[in-house]
Amino acid sequence: MSSRKASHAGSWYTSSANELRRQLDNWLASACLSHGPARAIIAPHAGYTYCGACGAFAYRQVSPAVVKRIFILGPSHHVRLRGCALSVAKKYETPLYDLKIDIEVNAELEKTGHFSWMDMKTDEDEHSIEMHLPYIAKVMEEFKNQFSIVPVLVGSLNPDQEALYGRLFTKYFLEPENLFVISSDFCHWGQRFNYTYYDKSSGPIYKSIESLDKRGMEIIETLDPASFTSYLREYNNTICGRHPIGVLLNAVKSLQEKGCNTNFKFLKYAQSSQCKHMDDSSVSYAAGSLVFEC
């Protein structure tokens, strides 16, 4: 049975199950349940030292008793990908326990003709999906044999493709037992990221970054895909999960057209460090939750 190793355990997060459980418990205990039960969340995928506490605010909104299947949409950092790709693995390992991949849903998605397959090396090199697995394992712990995951690697999609994938996923959004995890960090700022936008009227650099990110977050909360695309064109904000977010916004648009009441809210924002000089650098993180009724 082909299983994907927890390739970033021991570096991006601890490989000790006890230590990991303790950390996740503490972070989840510090976050309050205020916008649930989540049907989709946006949460970061950096090393847990930087974003573990922030991510908890999204995962705290999940109601594990309801969830039977979790789609994880993560951006591709290492390979050029025009569409979306599925995993060839049968299970994903975590220090807590292994997560089972939903082979039936993978087959359904493949039948649409819009999904390719990522090889195991691509899968294990990528961190955007893996960084969510320990949180998923922790939150779902009491129901660990009762759910499956559908990892989806999202490539550089144009707005039409984001709309296409949004429509493809709509039927799964409509099933209350499905949860969507949208993996994204926010602004990657500094010369090493080739991005140094600075609006001096905001104050110090880190405040300019915050106001840039918050503008994007407010647009995401309006759930309008076209406005988000315009924002990215205007500011080029280095939101690495912009395409998974675009897919989410387009799926929500389809839900609204079916008469669903949708509400997305960001619950936490953080930065890896505070940039004060032009040679500093930082990455921003945001955690949010989508609730809806149809």
Side-chain angles (χ1 to χ4, degrees):
M1 185 165 176
S2 58
S3 59
R4 180 200 182 280
K5 304 248 179 313
S7 48
H8 293 73
S11 51
W12 290 54
Y13 58 98
T14 178
S15 54
S16 153
N18 290 339
E19 175 69 7
L20 185 58
R21 192 173 277 111
R22 192 184 60 76
Q23 281 178 348
L24 296 170
D25 273 333
N26 287 343
W27 287 326
L28 287 163
S30 302
C32 55
L33 171 55
S34 59
H35 199 69
R39 303 289 293 273
I41 60 172
I42 293 176
H45 56 234
Y48 281 3
T49 322
Y50 300 106
C51 74
C54 179
F57 283 78
Y59 279 99
R60 185 70 181 84
Q61 314 313 313
V62 174
S63 178
V66 183
V67 175
K68 297 281 183 283
R69 186 184 295 115
I70 302 173
F71 291 78
I72 313 158
L73 275 57
S76 177
H77 286 87
H78 304 295
V79 298
R80 290 188 71 79
L81 187 60
R82 293 255 173 257
C84 291
L86 305 167
S87 176
V88 295
K90 300 288 187 290
K91 61 182 182 182
Y92 273 15
E93 295 174 9
T94 83
L96 301 180
Y97 58 91
D98 295 346
L99 306 182
K100 185 172 92 260
I101 289 185
D102 198 310
I103 309 300
E104 289 79 19
V105 169
N106 270 358
E108 283 175 22
L109 293 174
E110 185 188 26
K111 269 193 194 128
T112 67
H114 295 291
F115 292 83
S116 58
W117 296 90
M118 52 176 153
D119 59 46
M120 195 65 90
K121 182 184 185 326
T122 299
D123 203 341
E124 290 184 342
D125 285 349
E126 183 55 64
H127 63 275
S128 73
I129 293 171
E130 181 180 341
M131 296 309 295
H132 290 279
L133 306 177
Y135 255 120
I136 288 169
K138 180 72 201 79
V139 168
M140 297 299 296
E141 203 158 26
E142 286 179 35
F143 305 91
K144 63 180 174 191
N145 300 316
Q146 296 169 39
F147 77 99
S148 57
I149 61 168
V150 183
V152 180
L153 193 62
V154 179
S156 301
L157 310 180
N158 62 39
D160 289 341
Q161 288 177 298
E162 290 177 359
L164 167 80
Y165 285 105
R167 286 193 300 273
L168 279 175
F169 284 121
T170 304
K171 75 169 210 171
Y172 299 103
F173 270 92
L174 283 165
E175 296 166 4
E177 64 269 24
N178 291 334
L179 169 72
F180 277 75
V181 172
I182 307 299
S183 177
S184 185
D185 295 338
F186 274 68
C187 186
H188 296 60
W189 195 93
Q191 275 141 21
R192 70 193 184 102
F193 300 116
N194 296 317
Y195 188 76
T196 51
Y197 171 87
Y198 180 24
D199 173 6
K200 292 189 172 60
S201 71
S202 299
I205 296 169
Y206 67 90
K207 283 291 188 191
S208 165
I209 296 169
E210 179 172 352
S211 89
L212 174 71
D213 278 331
K214 294 255 167 107
R215 191 170 305 163
M217 290 157 67
E218 281 163 17
I219 288 167
I220 292 167
E221 287 181 339
T222 70
L223 296 168
D224 177 34
S227 300
F228 186 55
T229 300
S230 303
Y231 161 83
L232 292 169
R233 284 206 182 113
E234 184 176 352
Y235 295 101
N236 289 312
N237 190 359
T238 43
I239 300 172
C240 56
R242 67 182 77 103
H243 299 302
I245 293 170
V247 172
L248 169 70
L249 296 178
N250 279 283
V252 170
K253 194 176 170 191
S254 297
L255 294 171
Q256 291 167 341
E257 285 162 3
K258 293 181 189 302
C260 301
N261 287 324
T262 55
N263 188 301
F264 188 92
K265 198 169 169 196
F266 277 105
L267 307 162
K268 188 68 176 172
Y269 175 77
Q271 294 176 349
S272 60
S273 58
Q274 292 193 337
C275 294
K276 294 172 182 163
H277 309 285
M278 291 307 286
D279 54 359
D280 290 343
S281 67
S282 74
V283 180
S284 313
Y285 314 110
S289 165
L290 173 77
V291 297
F292 63 83
E293 284 176 0
C294 296

